[in-house]
Amino acid sequence: MNMKNDVRKLTDGAMMAAIIGVVLLIDRQTAGLLQGTVLFLFPLPMVFFGAKYGWKNSWMVYASVLILAAILSTPATLALMACESFIGMLYGCGIHDQVDTKKLLIRTMVASVLTEVLTSLVFASFFGYDPMGEVQELENLFSQSASQMNMELPASMNIEQLIMSILMVSVVFTGILEAFILHLLSRLLFRRLHIHIPPNTPLSLYEPPKWSGYLAICCTVCFYYALSQFISSDVLKMAMEGIGMIGMIYLSFYGIVATVLYLSIHTHMNKLVLVLLALFIMMLTSGLLMSMLGFLYITTDMHRKMMQGGF
């Protein structure tokens, strides 16, 4: 029996390494097309192997993947593959060790965000990015648009800092989104392969902690304060704008959840239509209405009343 298990383990490991090798070859022949479009799929082979065999057996496959990447691709792709494969191993081995889903998802998000920050900001030049060049281009575009529409910007507003803050926030949320997509795709893969996983908690039944709502509204206040007031420290101003945007996005997300949940209970419309309607309302109100609705949804008993049909 042990011999059969060892052979199956070696076969699965070789298969995962071969899949990654083929992906790297295709990516190299298409000048990095796969990296730019389906990067979130790169960790899946290590997710599968880690979920079946755990940390101890996954390191050998991980080392094989790195050797393949070193032979078949560029140094930048090697570094990226090391990060993405580790994220997949982190998630898969967490499933193998029966780690709580919330903790596992948070760990994966943290690892994914760190990867995005390192590849897009800290070592951007190594991976072929020029964030300051992008900021300059966006600043010129914004200035041209403002002049064409005869808009007068506040004297305290630093467009370059604001765009840089938006860039950093987008990098963070890209990492979070990639981790969430990996989570969904991995669970779909496990179901198809009949690997047992704990069921997900529906978003309509999840109640976020109340302290997160108060923290997010404080961050939102920081954002509007940084826009309207002169702050001598550029780093502090940029940090306040970035933190404030994260708070606004968090509150707006739960504002959309509240809108969709309320309308689905009272109208029985298609959920996709409801999401699009909530996004349209958020665009009309510049996100402020959805942020306030999200704050009330988190900090009051609105969720409980909706589920009981009394709201």
Side-chain angles (χ1 to χ4, degrees), residues 206-220 247 250-252 254-255 258 290-306 311:
Y206 177 71
E207 292 189 53
K210 294 185 184 301
W211 62 263
S212 65
Y214 292 109
L215 178 61
I217 198 67
C218 291
C219 293
T220 304
Y250 179 79
L251 293 178
S252 298
Y254 279 105
M290 281 297 170
S291 296
M292 295 310 300
L293 182 60
F295 174 72
L296 294 175
Y297 180 80
I298 296 172
T299 58
T300 65
D301 59 349
M302 183 186 295
H303 176 268
R304 180 177 56 82
K305 288 184 178 179
M306 282 184 182
F311 189 85

Side-chain angles (χ1 to χ4, degrees), residues 1-109:
M1 181 62 72
N2 289 334
M3 179 68 71
K4 289 183 179 180
N5 290 337
D6 290 341
V7 171
R8 181 61 184 271
K9 193 186 305 179
L10 289 172
T11 304
D12 286 343
M15 188 183 302
M16 295 304 104
I19 290 172
I20 294 175
V22 171
V23 170
L24 290 173
L25 277 175
I26 296 174
D27 181 69
R28 182 167 184 172
Q29 292 300 317
T30 56
L33 178 64
L34 297 183
Q35 288 185 43
T37 54
V38 292
L39 184 63
F40 53 87
L41 297 179
F42 281 33
L44 282 178
M46 290 305 301
V47 170
F48 167 77
F49 193 87
K52 286 193 69 174
Y53 301 108
W55 283 105
K56 183 177 179 181
N57 298 299
S58 296
W59 287 110
M60 187 61 68
V61 178
Y62 181 73
S64 302
V65 168
L66 296 188
I67 294 172
L68 272 174
I71 296 172
L72 300 175
S73 58
T74 63
T77 304
L78 169 61
L80 190 62
M81 202 67 226
C83 295
E84 295 297 330
S85 296
F86 181 78
I87 291 172
M89 190 166 61
L90 178 69
Y91 187 89
C93 295
I95 293 292
H96 180 271
D97 296 338
Q98 298 181 346
V99 177
D100 180 69
T101 303
K102 293 179 184 177
K103 293 181 180 179
L104 181 59
L105 185 56
I106 290 173
R107 290 179 188 176
T108 309
M109 285 181 175

Side-chain angles (χ1 to χ4, degrees), residues 274-286 290:
L274 295 177
V275 171
L276 294 176
L277 179 61
L279 290 172
F280 180 70
I281 295 173
M282 185 176 70
M283 291 172 61
L284 290 178
T285 58
S286 302
M290 281 297 170

Side-chain angles (χ1 to χ4, degrees), residues 244-277:
M245 281 185 278
I246 292 175
M248 286 185 66
I249 293 173
Y250 179 79
L251 293 178
S252 298
F253 172 76
Y254 279 105
I256 293 173
V257 170
T259 303
V260 172
L261 183 59
Y262 178 81
L263 293 176
S264 63
I265 292 173
H266 293 279
T267 64
H268 304 289
M269 293 173 61
N270 183 276
K271 289 187 177 180
L272 178 59
V273 175
L274 295 177
V275 171
L276 294 176
L277 179 61

Side-chain angles (χ1 to χ4, degrees), residues 196-212:
H196 174 72
I197 51 175
N200 273 331
T201 302
L203 189 59
S204 59
L205 300 179
Y206 177 71
E207 292 189 53
K210 294 185 184 301
W211 62 263
S212 65

